[in-house]
Amino acid sequence: MYVLLYTILAGLAILPLFLYLRNPYFTQELRYTVTCILLGLRINRIKRSKPFYSMLDCFLDKVKKHPNKQFIVFEKSSYTYRDVDKQSNKLARALSQHASVKEGDTVALFMGNEPMYVFIWLALAKLGCTAALLNYNIRSKSLLHCFTCCGTNVLLAASELRGAVEEVLPTLREQSVRVFVLGEEEEKCVTEGVNTLSSSRIQQASDQPLDAQLRSKVTLKSPALYIYTSGTTGLPKAAVITQERLYMASSMQAISGVASDDVIYIYLPLYHTAGFMMGLTGAIERGNTVVLRRKFSASNFWDDCRKHKVTVIQYIGEIMRYLCNSPKKDNDRHHKVRLALGNGLRADTWSEFLQRFGDIRVCECYGATEGNVGFINYIGKVGAIGKEHFLHKVRLLALIKCSYDTEREEPVKDSRGFCIKVPKGETGLLVAKITAQAPFSGYANNQQQTDRKKLRDVFVKGDLYFNSGDLLRIDHEGFVYFMDRIGDTFRWKGENVATTEVTEHLIMVECIEEANVYGVKIPGHEGRVGMATIKLKDDMEFDSKATLEHVKTSLPSYARPRFIRIQNSLAVTGTFKHMKVKLAEEGFNPAMMQDRLYYLEDSKGYIPMTQEMYHSISDGKIHL
């Protein structure tokens, strides 16, 4: 009996070693699994709770738990959880009394990052309203499109955006939209059709709690927010964010290991998923402190982190590269930041960031605003967006073969008419089964675009999958890598060209600081040929010889950019993603631009592009 007992104890003692040898990531995977299961159980309890427990209720619980804890730090002001609660109560009453806002209304917020943004959202939640978060950079046609596509009743705008509102005011008045400018005093507002919600009116309102019956009709499936896609490929679409989806996205901080005593730095726009859900409501779910900034500033970034003892930062798109390109300082590693949470970090920038700014755990994530699937790199593998996990198999995810024709973007089917899974190590289109546990709510009042994101009869007759539009690759260890957007990948000479891969090679050229790669149409040719718009490093000229040598040694002939356009700065969205549509439309015609333009001539390298050369290429006299 003792022998058996000793044998069992010995086996238990060496079990961790055995598991580690079989899987060196066992510890991290176990911790991630436990976290996800506990979080899943908690969310299931919330789903079953009566009455419905919303993110607002979560906030109110935090107010009760630690009313005097700092919630928002902004410039020279600071607000506790109790302060924010009281301010949102005042605003809710002012909106109800002076703007006739009531349960079921959709109210558009048109303003930048500031505490008032948070106060208003909470106020609207207390009234049972849905908030449409407008990008404060959009104007004219795009602004009207975003405003009207989700059936908005009321527009609340910051005073500094009054001019943008007045541009579209005639149309808003035709639609009987109530327009309010915040913060201005009554006598300063003289434009017919524009009302004011002045600071004095707000402060005169009571700060006492509102009756929960005002939001009694809100359910798990009710829309909490409308968040707009970035518009890199056309007019933005309003993604429907239900109360359930809001809670799920807000759990990202918990999964990443953010604690209630952390201080998170939010400079990303609150009108976007990353800033609002992963940042703001994620902080509410954790009960931590938010240091809010109007917009990103590379020169002030680390000074802010040191001043406010920031422990968690967010990033997206090109942010990390901007930080790495900023002038080096002796105190680059003097900070308390322990975790960076975000997406879109290139492997080379990732390594450079860690080497320069110290031992910061980078938690790279993947997900779309409207999507029903996501990954998180809980291991910390440089360059990966996540790791395959048995929980993903439960959620029925797959990478499938697809056509890279930008006009069709269709999956490849087998002889039975079903999609084909790609083997490990190959690039495929990510799809995720739409189920009750993984719903896809689609876009507001846009059934056509909603249907375009759905794939039917994928593996069996009658199944339904969400089409992410993203090309991913899973290696033999199970790590997941983002390769490209299917709309960005183009086909040339019968081969698929991934814009991200070409971009990564171009920015390795000494003179090039930033690159945006896309395909352009050539008359008489199938597919699209590669073109890059670049930004040069300060005080450097375009080195055509070095660029040619690098692309020749690094890229196959079909992937080398045939045209290079040089700009002083590259246009990006509010979340720092490169804008490609307009550049692709302008193409390689010198008459369409004032920028310098170069053409890759096989025998001479990159040479200045002329109008005569453009006509020769278009007429087929110069063969590509």
Side-chain angles (χ1 to χ4, degrees), residues 3 61 82 173 268 273 276 285 307 351 394 431 435 439 455 472 519 599:
V3 174
D61 279 351
R82 178 190 283 136
R173 292 182 67 184
L268 296 173
T273 304
F276 195 94
E285 194 277 332
K307 178 181 178 182
S351 299
V394 172
V431 295
T435 64
L455 292 177
L472 307 184
Y599 165 66

PDB file of all heavy atoms in Angstrom, residues 3 61 82 173 268 273 276 285 307 351 394 431 435 439 455 472 519 599:
ATOM      1  N   VAL A   3       3.886   1.457  -1.045  1.00  0.00           N
ATOM      2  CA  VAL A   3       4.559   1.517  -2.348  1.00  0.00           C
ATOM      3  C   VAL A   3       3.652   2.208  -3.366  1.00  0.00           C
ATOM      4  O   VAL A   3       4.087   3.070  -4.146  1.00  0.00           O
ATOM      5  CB  VAL A   3       4.936   0.102  -2.843  1.00  0.00           C
ATOM      6  CG1 VAL A   3       5.493   0.175  -4.262  1.00  0.00           C
ATOM      7  CG2 VAL A   3       5.948  -0.531  -1.905  1.00  0.00           C
ATOM      8  N   ASP A  61     -22.280  49.626  -8.965  1.00  0.00           N
ATOM      9  CA  ASP A  61     -21.713  48.787  -7.906  1.00  0.00           C
ATOM     10  C   ASP A  61     -20.331  49.273  -7.488  1.00  0.00           C
ATOM     11  O   ASP A  61     -19.974  49.248  -6.300  1.00  0.00           O
ATOM     12  CB  ASP A  61     -21.636  47.332  -8.372  1.00  0.00           C
ATOM     13  CG  ASP A  61     -22.964  46.614  -8.228  1.00  0.00           C
ATOM     14  OD1 ASP A  61     -23.882  47.189  -7.624  1.00  0.00           O
ATOM     15  OD2 ASP A  61     -23.074  45.483  -8.744  1.00  0.00           O
ATOM     16  N   ARG A  82     -17.799  58.492  -7.318  1.00  0.00           N
ATOM     17  CA  ARG A  82     -18.990  59.199  -6.852  1.00  0.00           C
ATOM     18  C   ARG A  82     -19.204  60.479  -7.669  1.00  0.00           C
ATOM     19  O   ARG A  82     -20.348  60.800  -8.045  1.00  0.00           O
ATOM     20  CB  ARG A  82     -18.870  59.546  -5.375  1.00  0.00           C
ATOM     21  CG  ARG A  82     -20.084  60.343  -4.854  1.00  0.00           C
ATOM     22  CD  ARG A  82     -19.843  60.889  -3.467  1.00  0.00           C
ATOM     23  NE  ARG A  82     -19.985  59.856  -2.452  1.00  0.00           N
ATOM     24  CZ  ARG A  82     -19.162  59.671  -1.436  1.00  0.00           C
ATOM     25  NH1 ARG A  82     -18.090  60.437  -1.315  1.00  0.00           N
ATOM     26  NH2 ARG A  82     -19.387  58.731  -0.544  1.00  0.00           N
ATOM     27  N   ARG A 173     -32.538  69.289 -39.883  1.00  0.00           N
ATOM     28  CA  ARG A 173     -33.840  69.917 -39.598  1.00  0.00           C
ATOM     29  C   ARG A 173     -34.947  69.239 -40.403  1.00  0.00           C
ATOM     30  O   ARG A 173     -36.061  69.055 -39.906  1.00  0.00           O
ATOM     31  CB  ARG A 173     -33.784  71.405 -39.904  1.00  0.00           C
ATOM     32  CG  ARG A 173     -32.867  72.183 -38.957  1.00  0.00           C
ATOM     33  CD  ARG A 173     -32.882  73.668 -39.262  1.00  0.00           C
ATOM     34  NE  ARG A 173     -34.185  74.261 -38.981  1.00  0.00           N
ATOM     35  CZ  ARG A 173     -34.494  75.534 -39.231  1.00  0.00           C
ATOM     36  NH1 ARG A 173     -33.593  76.350 -39.764  1.00  0.00           N
ATOM     37  NH2 ARG A 173     -35.692  76.003 -38.949  1.00  0.00           N
ATOM     38  N   LEU A 268      -6.705  56.757 -26.995  1.00  0.00           N
ATOM     39  CA  LEU A 268      -7.410  56.361 -28.214  1.00  0.00           C
ATOM     40  C   LEU A 268      -8.814  56.959 -28.179  1.00  0.00           C
ATOM     41  O   LEU A 268      -9.392  57.139 -27.109  1.00  0.00           O
ATOM     42  CB  LEU A 268      -7.495  54.837 -28.297  1.00  0.00           C
ATOM     43  CG  LEU A 268      -6.149  54.112 -28.422  1.00  0.00           C
ATOM     44  CD1 LEU A 268      -6.349  52.602 -28.320  1.00  0.00           C
ATOM     45  CD2 LEU A 268      -5.461  54.468 -29.730  1.00  0.00           C
ATOM     46  N   THR A 273     -14.037  51.145 -30.677  1.00  0.00           N
ATOM     47  CA  THR A 273     -14.064  49.967 -29.816  1.00  0.00           C
ATOM     48  C   THR A 273     -12.910  49.926 -28.833  1.00  0.00           C
ATOM     49  O   THR A 273     -13.102  49.663 -27.635  1.00  0.00           O
ATOM     50  CB  THR A 273     -14.037  48.687 -30.678  1.00  0.00           C
ATOM     51  OG1 THR A 273     -15.124  48.717 -31.596  1.00  0.00           O
ATOM     52  CG2 THR A 273     -14.130  47.444 -29.814  1.00  0.00           C
ATOM     53  N   PHE A 276     -13.254  52.822 -26.166  1.00  0.00           N
ATOM     54  CA  PHE A 276     -14.468  52.788 -25.348  1.00  0.00           C
ATOM     55  C   PHE A 276     -14.642  51.460 -24.617  1.00  0.00           C
ATOM     56  O   PHE A 276     -14.774  51.424 -23.395  1.00  0.00           O
ATOM     57  CB  PHE A 276     -15.707  53.075 -26.201  1.00  0.00           C
ATOM     58  CG  PHE A 276     -16.926  53.399 -25.386  1.00  0.00           C
ATOM     59  CD1 PHE A 276     -17.242  54.716 -25.105  1.00  0.00           C
ATOM     60  CD2 PHE A 276     -17.749  52.403 -24.878  1.00  0.00           C
ATOM     61  CE1 PHE A 276     -18.357  55.043 -24.328  1.00  0.00           C
ATOM     62  CE2 PHE A 276     -18.859  52.704 -24.101  1.00  0.00           C
ATOM     63  CZ  PHE A 276     -19.159  54.026 -23.821  1.00  0.00           C
ATOM     64  N   GLU A 285     -15.391  47.688 -15.512  1.00  0.00           N
ATOM     65  CA  GLU A 285     -15.539  46.288 -15.099  1.00  0.00           C
ATOM     66  C   GLU A 285     -14.489  45.910 -14.054  1.00  0.00           C
ATOM     67  O   GLU A 285     -14.778  45.186 -13.097  1.00  0.00           O
ATOM     68  CB  GLU A 285     -15.424  45.378 -16.332  1.00  0.00           C
ATOM     69  CG  GLU A 285     -15.893  43.947 -16.110  1.00  0.00           C
ATOM     70  CD  GLU A 285     -14.839  43.062 -15.471  1.00  0.00           C
ATOM     71  OE1 GLU A 285     -13.629  43.323 -15.658  1.00  0.00           O
ATOM     72  OE2 GLU A 285     -15.214  42.103 -14.769  1.00  0.00           O
ATOM     73  N   LYS A 307       4.059  60.786 -14.722  1.00  0.00           N
ATOM     74  CA  LYS A 307       3.353  61.730 -13.857  1.00  0.00           C
ATOM     75  C   LYS A 307       2.195  61.066 -13.112  1.00  0.00           C
ATOM     76  O   LYS A 307       1.979  61.306 -11.914  1.00  0.00           O
ATOM     77  CB  LYS A 307       2.838  62.899 -14.696  1.00  0.00           C
ATOM     78  CG  LYS A 307       2.037  63.928 -13.909  1.00  0.00           C
ATOM     79  CD  LYS A 307       1.550  65.045 -14.835  1.00  0.00           C
ATOM     80  CE  LYS A 307       0.711  66.059 -14.076  1.00  0.00           C
ATOM     81  NZ  LYS A 307       0.193  67.123 -14.994  1.00  0.00           N
ATOM     82  N   SER A 351       9.688  43.974 -30.944  1.00  0.00           N
ATOM     83  CA  SER A 351      11.020  43.699 -30.371  1.00  0.00           C
ATOM     84  C   SER A 351      11.754  44.993 -30.029  1.00  0.00           C
ATOM     85  O   SER A 351      12.379  45.110 -28.968  1.00  0.00           O
ATOM     86  CB  SER A 351      11.847  42.868 -31.357  1.00  0.00           C
ATOM     87  OG  SER A 351      11.231  41.627 -31.627  1.00  0.00           O
ATOM     88  N   VAL A 394     -14.399  24.850 -29.516  1.00  0.00           N
ATOM     89  CA  VAL A 394     -15.779  24.818 -29.039  1.00  0.00           C
ATOM     90  C   VAL A 394     -16.603  25.873 -29.774  1.00  0.00           C
ATOM     91  O   VAL A 394     -17.774  25.668 -30.106  1.00  0.00           O
ATOM     92  CB  VAL A 394     -15.831  25.048 -27.514  1.00  0.00           C
ATOM     93  CG1 VAL A 394     -17.270  25.216 -27.036  1.00  0.00           C
ATOM     94  CG2 VAL A 394     -15.167  23.882 -26.785  1.00  0.00           C
ATOM     95  N   VAL A 431     -13.226  32.333 -40.472  1.00  0.00           N
ATOM     96  CA  VAL A 431     -14.681  32.350 -40.350  1.00  0.00           C
ATOM     97  C   VAL A 431     -15.048  31.775 -38.981  1.00  0.00           C
ATOM     98  O   VAL A 431     -14.316  30.960 -38.425  1.00  0.00           O
ATOM     99  CB  VAL A 431     -15.372  31.537 -41.475  1.00  0.00           C
ATOM    100  CG1 VAL A 431     -15.127  32.172 -42.828  1.00  0.00           C
ATOM    101  CG2 VAL A 431     -14.912  30.077 -41.471  1.00  0.00           C
ATOM    102  N   THR A 435     -23.741  31.567 -33.630  1.00  0.00           N
ATOM    103  CA  THR A 435     -24.588  30.780 -32.727  1.00  0.00           C
ATOM    104  C   THR A 435     -25.191  31.711 -31.675  1.00  0.00           C
ATOM    105  O   THR A 435     -24.875  32.899 -31.626  1.00  0.00           O
ATOM    106  CB  THR A 435     -23.775  29.692 -32.014  1.00  0.00           C
ATOM    107  OG1 THR A 435     -22.796  30.330 -31.165  1.00  0.00           O
ATOM    108  CG2 THR A 435     -23.064  28.789 -33.012  1.00  0.00           C
ATOM    109  N   PRO A 439     -23.083  35.395 -31.253  1.00  0.00           N
ATOM    110  CA  PRO A 439     -23.972  36.031 -32.221  1.00  0.00           C
ATOM    111  C   PRO A 439     -23.260  37.075 -33.069  1.00  0.00           C
ATOM    112  O   PRO A 439     -22.193  37.570 -32.723  1.00  0.00           O
ATOM    113  CB  PRO A 439     -25.026  36.692 -31.324  1.00  0.00           C
ATOM    114  CG  PRO A 439     -24.289  36.999 -30.049  1.00  0.00           C
ATOM    115  CD  PRO A 439     -23.296  35.890 -29.871  1.00  0.00           C
ATOM    116  N   LEU A 455     -21.640  33.869 -44.287  1.00  0.00           N
ATOM    117  CA  LEU A 455     -21.404  32.788 -45.242  1.00  0.00           C
ATOM    118  C   LEU A 455     -22.326  31.630 -44.887  1.00  0.00           C
ATOM    119  O   LEU A 455     -22.375  31.191 -43.737  1.00  0.00           O
ATOM    120  CB  LEU A 455     -19.950  32.323 -45.197  1.00  0.00           C
ATOM    121  CG  LEU A 455     -18.887  33.308 -45.709  1.00  0.00           C
ATOM    122  CD1 LEU A 455     -17.497  32.726 -45.519  1.00  0.00           C
ATOM    123  CD2 LEU A 455     -19.121  33.654 -47.174  1.00  0.00           C
ATOM    124  N   LEU A 472      -5.540  34.852 -41.908  1.00  0.00           N
ATOM    125  CA  LEU A 472      -4.698  34.468 -40.784  1.00  0.00           C
ATOM    126  C   LEU A 472      -3.923  33.198 -41.134  1.00  0.00           C
ATOM    127  O   LEU A 472      -4.247  32.482 -42.071  1.00  0.00           O
ATOM    128  CB  LEU A 472      -5.542  34.208 -39.528  1.00  0.00           C
ATOM    129  CG  LEU A 472      -6.526  35.285 -39.065  1.00  0.00           C
ATOM    130  CD1 LEU A 472      -7.178  34.862 -37.765  1.00  0.00           C
ATOM    131  CD2 LEU A 472      -5.838  36.632 -38.901  1.00  0.00           C
ATOM    132  N   GLY A 519      -3.053  47.774 -54.209  1.00  0.00           N
ATOM    133  CA  GLY A 519      -3.019  47.408 -55.621  1.00  0.00           C
ATOM    134  C   GLY A 519      -3.788  48.407 -56.464  1.00  0.00           C
ATOM    135  O   GLY A 519      -4.808  48.955 -56.028  1.00  0.00           O
ATOM    136  N   TYR A 599       8.551  55.004 -61.002  1.00  0.00           N
ATOM    137  CA  TYR A 599       8.148  53.783 -61.709  1.00  0.00           C
ATOM    138  C   TYR A 599       9.315  52.807 -61.729  1.00  0.00           C
ATOM    139  O   TYR A 599      10.463  53.198 -61.967  1.00  0.00           O
ATOM    140  CB  TYR A 599       7.705  54.125 -63.129  1.00  0.00           C
ATOM    141  CG  TYR A 599       7.598  52.939 -64.055  1.00  0.00           C
ATOM    142  CD1 TYR A 599       6.633  51.952 -63.831  1.00  0.00           C
ATOM    143  CD2 TYR A 599       8.447  52.806 -65.157  1.00  0.00           C
ATOM    144  CE1 TYR A 599       6.539  50.859 -64.682  1.00  0.00           C
ATOM    145  CE2 TYR A 599       8.352  51.720 -66.023  1.00  0.00           C
ATOM    146  CZ  TYR A 599       7.400  50.749 -65.770  1.00  0.00           C
ATOM    147  OH  TYR A 599       7.302  49.660 -66.603  1.00  0.00           O
TER     148      TYR A 599
END
